Amino acid sequence: MNTEQPMEDRLWDYIDGLSSPAEHSAVETLIAANLQWSRKYRELLDVHQLLAGSELEAPSMRFTKNVMEEIARHHVAPATTTYVNKNIIRSIGAFFISMIAGLLIYCFAMIKWSGGSSSSSNLISSYSTSLEKKLPLEKINWEKLFSSSYVTAFMLIAVVSGLVLLDLYLQRKKQQVS
Amino acid sequence: MTYKELTDTEIIKRVLQGEQALYAQLVLRYQSYVFTLVLRFTDNREDAEEISQDIFVKAYRSLADFRGDAKFSTWLYTIVRTSCITFLRKKRLPTASLDNEKTLMQVESRESDIGANLIEQKSRHAMLNAAIGLLSPNDSQLLNLFYKGEQSLEEIGRIMGLDPNTVKVKLHRARNRLREKIETHFSYAVQELSGHDGI
């Protein structure tokens, strides 16, 4: 690693006014006492001053007039929030949630609950026995079902989408906090 | 109170209420900022002016979407960026292989032309713009946003979808690369300028 890097970073922070008061005075002392720091500071300060003192490019004299002539033919469009119906978005969300919930309920219903022998599970046991009669689980080839590339792709998309959504949520939360 | 004393948000509010002419104040305030940013993408003043004009028209049409939770310049920059990217996608820029000897000669002559031109102009401003022009679009945008747009690290981060600390690191690197470009391509011009007013 370049040994000058931390020095440059600290000097840039000092020049930009981003360092803490303690760090600010520490860097100030280093600039005053150390020739290498002082030389590097001058060097970076030159670049900073060059950039800070630079002028913006100006467009032609008629620019504002051209824009105003152009916008005279336009109207301000209504805000997006006024024509995007939140109820539609909510109903789409509700549809997907109900689909997932339905799938989960179906999966739970497929589980064989008759493992326990306690009296409290009698009701569930009787229900699962009747369900077993209706749906012979042993006949379903689970191995084939879960090894299919479609299921794998679906699971992969679901996991990636979940991670993307989690990332977006965390980023938004972080921005709100900052 | 004159129009010049009005804040951006006040102007926008009044434009939305129907005072269309007040939009000229916003154009006047930000035309150089937008034009400079666009010029970094296009490298051509005519194209830059056309795109900048288009940006202000787009901004006017979408003005009702400006919520005021960020600076107007920050919001405007998002339009600048999308417009420039669209322009670059539409316009197929001529490309040439760097392995080609002829291309390398052209690049070298371009750089020496810039140097020669600078010595004639003896202009710090021209040298800086030429050096920024040699940086990558991302580096030059970052420098423009920080120095010319006067955006904070947080605002730049929001625009670019980056963490403020990442922006800080990228800014340090961009300035270092700019320094290297100046030293490599404009050392003679720097010496000339130092002789006059000291850089």
Side-chain angles (χ1 to χ4, degrees):
Chain A
M1 193 184 156
N2 187 359
T3 49
E4 281 197 344
Q5 208 56 48
M7 176 172 76
E8 283 196 5
D9 289 348
R10 286 175 74 185
L11 281 169
W12 276 128
D13 283 350
Y14 173 79
I15 291 167
D16 293 334
L18 298 170
S19 41
S20 63
E23 172 70 2
H24 188 272
S25 52
V27 173
E28 215 163 45
T29 316
L30 279 164
I31 293 166
N34 191 313
L35 189 68
Q36 199 191 352
W37 276 74
S38 155
R39 199 176 293 150
K40 185 57 86 181
Y41 170 67
R42 284 265 118 229
E43 213 175 280
L44 301 187
L45 191 67
D46 283 345
V47 179
H48 175 76
Q49 283 172 344
L50 188 68
L51 280 161
S54 68
E55 295 157 24
L56 291 167
E57 299 278 351
S60 69
M61 302 284 276
R62 263 193 65 85
F63 185 81
T64 310
K65 209 171 175 186
N66 287 344
V67 173
M68 293 312 286
E69 278 172 9
E70 188 63 31
I71 67 157
R73 285 185 263 144
H74 294 272
H75 294 284
V76 177
T80 325
T81 46
T82 58
Y83 60 81
V84 174
N85 194 340
K86 279 186 181 170
N87 287 334
I88 294 171
I89 294 172
R90 278 187 197 127
S91 55
I92 292 168
F95 170 75
F96 280 110
I97 288 167
S98 58
M99 285 279 284
I100 294 164
L103 197 74
L104 283 172
I105 290 165
Y106 175 75
C107 287
F108 277 117
M110 292 285 117
I111 296 169
K112 203 174 179 181
W113 297 103
S114 55
S117 59
S118 67
S119 57
S120 61
S121 63
N122 280 349
L123 191 68
I124 300 167
S125 302
S126 62
Y127 173 73
S128 64
T129 317
S130 66
L131 196 75
E132 227 174 297
K133 280 172 190 166
K134 284 177 199 165
L135 284 165
L137 294 177
E138 66 275 4
K139 283 181 184 172
I140 299 170
N141 189 351
W142 294 104
E143 210 170 278
K144 194 181 171 187
L145 189 71
F146 280 101
S147 66
S148 87
S149 51
Y150 290 112
V151 174
T152 317
F154 174 76
M155 300 282 258
L156 199 72
I157 292 165
V159 169
V160 171
S161 314
L163 287 171
V164 168
L165 285 170
L166 182 72
D167 182 53
L168 284 171
Y169 170 73
L170 290 174
Q171 261 187 12
R172 196 172 290 175
K173 212 171 176 187
K174 200 176 171 186
Q175 273 178 359
Q176 276 173 355
V177 169
S178 66
Chain B
M1 186 190 258
T2 60
Y3 292 146
K4 281 180 185 176
E5 289 166 18
L6 289 172
T7 64
D8 292 348
T9 319
E10 283 167 345
I11 292 176
I12 292 164
K13 204 175 164 187
R14 285 173 67 170
V15 171
L16 290 173
Q17 283 166 355
E19 287 184 68
Q20 196 191 50
L22 258 182
Y23 189 68
Q25 283 302 315
L26 282 179
V27 179
L28 276 170
R29 274 179 204 181
Y30 294 102
Q31 62 180 17
S32 296
Y33 167 68
V34 169
F35 183 70
T36 308
L37 289 171
V38 175
L39 205 57
R40 297 274 168 257
F41 279 100
T42 61
D43 244 354
N44 176 317
R45 291 188 77 88
E46 282 79 37
D47 285 341
E49 191 145 332
E50 203 181 312
I51 298 165
S52 305
Q53 198 175 308
D54 194 39
I55 287 163
F56 279 107
V57 174
K58 275 185 195 163
Y60 174 75
R61 283 186 49 76
S62 328
L63 212 55
D65 277 326
F66 176 69
R67 293 193 302 269
D69 46 10
K71 274 201 247 173
F72 178 69
S73 56
T74 310
W75 181 74
L76 196 60
Y77 179 76
T78 56
I79 305 176
V80 171
R81 198 172 162 84
T82 47
S83 300
C84 289
I85 290 167
T86 312
F87 167 80
L88 292 176
R89 272 192 198 140
K90 277 183 193 168
K91 188 182 176 181
R92 284 188 177 177
L93 295 170
T95 53
S97 168
L98 279 173
D99 296 330
N100 189 341
E101 207 172 300
K102 200 179 160 190
T103 314
L104 275 173
M105 279 167 68
Q106 281 174 346
V107 172
E108 278 169 14
S109 84
R110 186 192 161 203
E111 285 172 356
S112 63
D113 281 352
I114 297 166
N117 191 26
L118 274 166
I119 295 159
E120 280 172 30
Q121 290 180 39
K122 287 194 170 75
S123 160
R124 198 186 272 236
H125 172 62
M127 181 195 69
L128 182 67
N129 279 337
I132 291 176
L134 292 172
L135 293 173
S136 71
N138 269 344
D139 281 353
S140 62
Q141 289 296 299
L142 203 56
L143 293 176
N144 281 324
L145 285 171
F146 190 72
Y147 283 100
K148 296 177 179 177
E150 289 171 5
Q151 308 271 0
S152 66
L153 296 178
E154 284 76 21
E155 284 163 341
I156 298 172
R158 206 178 299 159
I159 290 169
M160 296 183 144
L162 297 168
D163 185 75
N165 275 328
T166 314
V167 176
K168 193 168 84 171
V169 173
K170 280 179 177 282
L171 183 68
H172 289 185
R173 287 181 188 158
R175 286 188 288 204
N176 284 339
R177 277 194 278 265
L178 178 75
R179 194 157 48 99
E180 281 165 18
K181 293 282 177 200
I182 292 172
E183 280 166 7
T184 315
H185 302 290
F186 308 102
S187 53
Y188 188 76
V190 170
Q191 279 167 12
E192 285 274 309
L193 286 165
S194 307
H196 284 82
D197 45 17
I199 287 187

